[in-house]
Amino acid sequence: MSDVRTALKQGLAQLREAHVPSFTLVAELLLLHVLGRDRTWLYAHPEEQIFAADADRFFALIARRAAGEPTQHIIGKQEFWGVEFEVTPDVLIPRPETEHVIEVALDRLALRELRAGRKQTLTGEGLQIADIGTGSGCIAIALAKELPGATIYATDISSAALAIARRNAARHSVADRIRFLECNLLEGFIHRAPACADISDVGAQHAAPLLGNAASGTELGSRVTEHGSRSFDLIASNPPYIGRREAATLMGEVRDHEPEVALYGGEEGYEFYAGLITQAAAHLKPGGILVLELGHNTLPAVQPLLGASTWTNVGVTNDLAGIPRVLAAERL
Ligand SMILES: C[S@@+](CC[C@H](N)C(=O)[O-])C[C@H]1O[C@@H](n2cnc3c(N)ncnc32)[C@H](O)[C@@H]1O
């Protein structure tokens, strides 16, 4: 038997020795995970005895974290936009800077409503939204929660990631408004494109009609075969944007544990954006909004891709570290 304070002190000392960032917080999270308690309990019960089996489990988790495994993989979750997301090694761990994508998207949509002289209460009624490279589903699900009237399409090239995203959508009760498509960027929406797997959780009877079928109310088949063009009000994406040539500079817990397909955009990192922006231009309505997360050094390569003949109101938002993190624009 050990008490809470002693176990915590030993655990955090091991993490400090292994140079784990935020070692106190990590030790607390791992202990809370093992004990199934919250932080208030932890501080209120420092003398509480913990069972030997729990202490053993705690120190086993400390050893995994000290060996470089991300805390989120050990506890299987990460908070984003105030809600908890399941994460596994198949998806990128949602990052706090990605919350700026949500903020910018909601601000831009609200501004559009204001300019159109509509009420400022934004429910997203009738909006068609796409999240490209959805991973855990964090962007799609945060938008679905904020915009209860919107229909959202979430694509990813990784079927393993989409399986996690679907579970997260179900967990947050928005699975009936998000269509999950396994495809390359927005290719699933190209008119008569080769079929792209629709792996939504919802059954055909309950699914929202597909884009382009909305007018006729045609229900969804098990595969996507036909779509309208220029149908989206908002396209958001946090694409892979790290350069392979930067791989050696990444923290081991990122490089060795997160999916390569989610990390690397190419040799330089910005290679995804040209295709994404071209496809987004083809699929956004006039006045539709594009919101892209950027890598720490990708703005100079990406901003020139938003040419004035196609895009207007181009804006850059910095993250809390002052890095240009989100690029947004409106389709002419
Ligand atoms: C940086 S992660 C972002 C995940 C999630 N949206 C987030 O913000 O945490 C990029 C995602 O894009 C997906 N991806 C990579 N290449 C893709 C492609 N060609 N088409 C669609 N998705 C792709 C990856 O599988 C990964 O889930």
Side-chain angles (χ1 to χ4, degrees), residues 128-133 152-157 181-196 211 224 226-237 272-284 289-292 311:
Q128 306 272 9
I129 294 175
D131 169 26
I132 309 305
I152 301 186
Y153 297 79
T155 78
D156 206 292
I157 205 158
L181 303 174
E182 184 185 338
C183 62
N184 181 21
L185 301 179
L186 280 147
E187 278 176 8
F189 300 97
I190 295 167
H191 192 62
R192 296 187 198 288
C196 146
L211 283 175
V224 176
E226 188 170 330
H227 312 276
S229 58
R230 302 213 56 184
S231 314
F232 287 112
D233 298 280
L234 168 71
I235 295 177
S237 182
F272 259 83
Y273 291 92
L276 190 51
I277 289 171
T278 304
Q279 290 191 21
H283 290 290
L284 279 169
I289 298 158
L290 175 65
V291 183
L292 299 172
W311 302 97

Side-chain angles (χ1 to χ4, degrees), residues 92 98 133-135 138-139 156-158 183-185 238-240 261-262 272:
L92 190 89
T98 302
T134 197
C138 60
I139 293 177
D156 206 292
I157 205 158
S158 158
C183 62
N184 181 21
L185 301 179
N238 172 18
V261 68
F272 259 83

